[in-house]
Amino acid sequence: MPYEDWTSIPAMFLDMARRCGDRPFLWSKTDGEWRSRSWEDVAREVRRLAAGLAGLGLRAGDRVVIASENRPEWAIADLAIMAAGGITVPAYTTYTAELHEHVLKDSGAALAFVSNAKLAHTFLPAAAAAGVDRVVAMDDIPGIVPWSEALGDDTADVEERVSRVERGSPACFIYTSGTGGLPKGVVLSHHALLSNLQSIEAGFRPIISGVETFLSFLPLSHAYEHTAGFFFPISIGAEIRYAEGVDTLVSNMPETRPTIMTCVPRLYEVMRQRILAGVERQGGLKKKLFEKAVLLGSRRHRGEALGLVGSIQDRVLERLVRDKVRARFGGRLKALVSGGAALNPDVGTFFSALGLTLLQGYGQTETAPVISCNLPGEVKMASVGKPLPGVEVRIADDGEILVRGGLLMDGYWNNPDATAEVMRDGWLHTGDIGAFDADGFLSITDRKKDIIVNSGGDNIAPQRVEGILNLEPEIAQSMVTGDRQPHLVALVVPDQTWLETFAGDRGLEADLAALAGNGDLAAAVRAAVNRANAGLTPLEKVRHVHVASEPFTVENRQMTPTLKIRRHVVNELYAEALDALYG
């Protein structure tokens, strides 16, 4: 693909639309039926909306906020904003009114899009408070500009507008998910995005053939999905199907039959727990066959010899177990790609043992975002792969990962101090700690700021400990802490399926808030932590446990929209209980 010839993201899209013509491009499910829009149809609507935005007063360089769930209109709005010379500012649908107002004000937005009436209830007051009075509705919402009226008829100068968009100009502001406070606006240029797309394509070229199908369900407001789940499919002429939601993912996969999916580790953990719970319910021969398939598949993945009998059994289980698992995922998957946070290697091995290719990668919003990735035929599950072509990575003396290349952000919007803190001498200081192995595979130890320094001065990576805790069937989520303390303690959220069984066996309601202080529950969770401790070093072992009164969720603001724990929020909420664990 002519990445170096494309001058901007809309130029890339319009070029690919001319090549792909009337082929299906964007799919969504309406009234129980999947419907597609062709490349030609989408390009026509992008041109009309770009013309309409110019008619609404959009000028080159103006920022436009999109507050919407994933849907074709999100994609069309994004491309039209850029085609008109504007800058897209995606906003998470899970934002509070205060966070919407922050993004609108901080970005200096001139216009905005909102998708539906429910979201408008939170978004419109924030827009009014930020002085944004031009808002376009994707659905019919009284009092604001309807989508149909925002479409212009005179599209004659749209191509000329696109030609004026310079490669080095900003394409979008992606606001970080805010694990440590208010989100910062990461300024990504068309050049950074196109450079990253070129690197991704070079890495994944061996598995790209025919027309690929992407299933999009991570928020498009996240840099990972924005680039890997939207711009990358455009660059290779793929189809995109928008899932109805995370809750319907299991049914959407066999319906859409994707060839590539991007996901965050938390969702893979949930899928693994659900698969195991389903197998446990089936029991009997099916359970034994499944467990044998996982065992042999894991051994094969690690490069261990299976022997004659094991090899024969493995081939039989390919048909009896793995073919059925692959069918549940649509039957055509070439790769499940994990990014956005650290993936526990055991989770990755589990899916690989079941015949699904799971590739862990690494990136940051500030790098547009993909830095490295395991690639088909070249996988080390405990690593995040090798740096992609065109991306330079080195390890600083203190273990911090530094990145350089065309994929880097221009900086944080209106925040030169924060920019100077991470951008030094052309290198991005990622804040992640890592190391290369002898074969050039990169491994991430932890976030520099998240590292626990105990009272003895030892450094402990909490994400590694949490990943091992979360493999226990009783544990859905965990957060460990112990800064300046002699030992680690953990806050644990029990797995809901296990909790229902635990409560039902005792004639209790499976209400976590009511059960959080139950001694039997605490003892069961403690036993699970003790099993996990067996796989941890003495410094990493968890000494004491507190059962959380509710799960960590986006809605209660204990997780970011990208499903990372807001450690400062959780620590504040449970400060008294956690302090008591240290005695």
Side-chain angles (χ1 to χ4, degrees), residues 123-353:
F123 184 79
L124 291 180
V132 179
D133 56 3
R134 290 173 293 175
V135 181
V136 177
M138 295 177 184
D139 293 342
D140 291 332
I141 303 173
I144 58 176
V145 179
W147 181 272
S148 58
E149 290 185 15
L151 300 174
D153 292 320
D154 186 3
T155 62
D157 69 339
V158 171
E159 296 276 358
E160 202 273 329
R161 274 178 170 265
V162 171
S163 71
R164 293 202 302 265
V165 178
E166 297 180 356
R167 189 180 176 100
S169 62
C172 55
F173 294 177
I174 303 290
Y175 276 77
T176 58
S177 52
T179 55
L182 285 174
K184 298 189 294 289
V186 175
V187 181
L188 295 175
S189 68
H190 293 273
H191 176 72
L193 293 166
L194 289 167
S195 295
N196 201 221
L197 293 174
Q198 186 171 13
S199 296
I200 295 169
E201 193 273 340
F204 280 80
R205 190 175 297 147
I207 67 167
I208 297 171
S209 60
V211 178
E212 304 295 344
T213 299
F214 286 68
L215 181 59
S216 176
F217 60 97
L218 293 179
L220 280 163
S221 42
H222 187 0
Y224 179 29
E225 186 69 15
H226 199 209
T227 295
F230 180 36
F231 294 150
F232 181 55
I234 289 175
S235 74
I236 61 171
E239 297 181 10
I240 302 173
R241 292 185 180 242
Y242 293 108
E244 296 171 274
V246 174
D247 292 341
T248 60
L249 199 56
V250 172
S251 61
N252 285 166
M253 283 190 289
E255 292 173 344
T256 60
R257 304 184 68 226
T259 59
I260 300 175
M261 281 177 58
T262 56
C263 197
V264 293
R266 176 63 191 147
L267 291 178
Y268 287 121
E269 291 170 2
V270 170
M271 286 185 209
R272 174 183 172 275
Q273 291 281 30
R274 288 181 179 176
I275 291 171
L276 289 174
V279 170
E280 189 67 32
R281 285 194 299 271
Q282 287 182 323
L285 180 60
K286 288 185 177 180
K287 180 183 176 183
K288 291 180 180 178
L289 291 173
F290 181 89
E291 290 174 343
K292 190 68 172 180
V294 172
L295 175 64
L296 292 175
S298 298
R299 288 178 56 193
R300 178 163 40 80
H301 176 77
R302 291 191 294 266
E304 299 176 13
L306 301 183
L308 178 60
V309 174
S311 296
I312 294 171
Q313 290 176 332
D314 195 49
R315 284 196 295 271
V316 172
L317 291 168
E318 191 74 18
R319 179 173 57 83
L320 295 179
V321 176
R322 298 191 188 101
D323 281 352
K324 293 178 181 178
V325 172
R326 283 189 286 257
R328 295 290 298 273
F329 283 77
R332 297 197 303 158
L333 268 175
K334 297 178 181 179
L336 291 163
V337 186
S338 178
L343 175 75
N344 187 298
D346 288 347
V347 175
T349 300
F350 173 82
F351 283 99
S352 295

Side-chain angles (χ1 to χ4, degrees), residues 176 178-182 184 364 366 398-401 412 415 417-422 424 429-434 444-453 459-463 466 480-484 565-568 571:
T176 58
T179 55
L182 285 174
K184 298 189 294 289
Q364 292 197 336
E366 292 84 348
D398 63 355
E400 185 174 8
I401 298 168
Y412 297 114
N415 200 335
D417 291 341
T419 302
E421 186 178 339
V422 300
R424 298 175 230 159
H429 291 241
T430 64
D432 289 322
I433 302 297
I444 311 297
T445 306
D446 208 354
R447 285 289 297 169
K448 191 174 182 179
K449 292 181 180 178
D450 289 342
I451 283 180
I452 295 169
V453 182
N459 290 348
I460 304 167
Q463 289 184 350
E466 290 157 2
V480 299
T481 184
D483 214 37
R484 299 184 296 279
I565 298 172
R566 293 187 192 269
R567 296 180 186 273
H568 67 292
N571 271 315

Side-chain angles (χ1 to χ4, degrees), residues 4 17 35 47 49 57 98 127 138 156 197 211 319 332 411 461 472 491 520:
E4 294 177 357
R35 294 184 172 89
R47 290 189 181 94
L49 185 57
E98 291 77 15
M138 295 177 184
L197 293 174
V211 178
R319 179 173 57 83
R332 297 197 303 158
E472 298 302 324
L491 184 68
D520 288 343

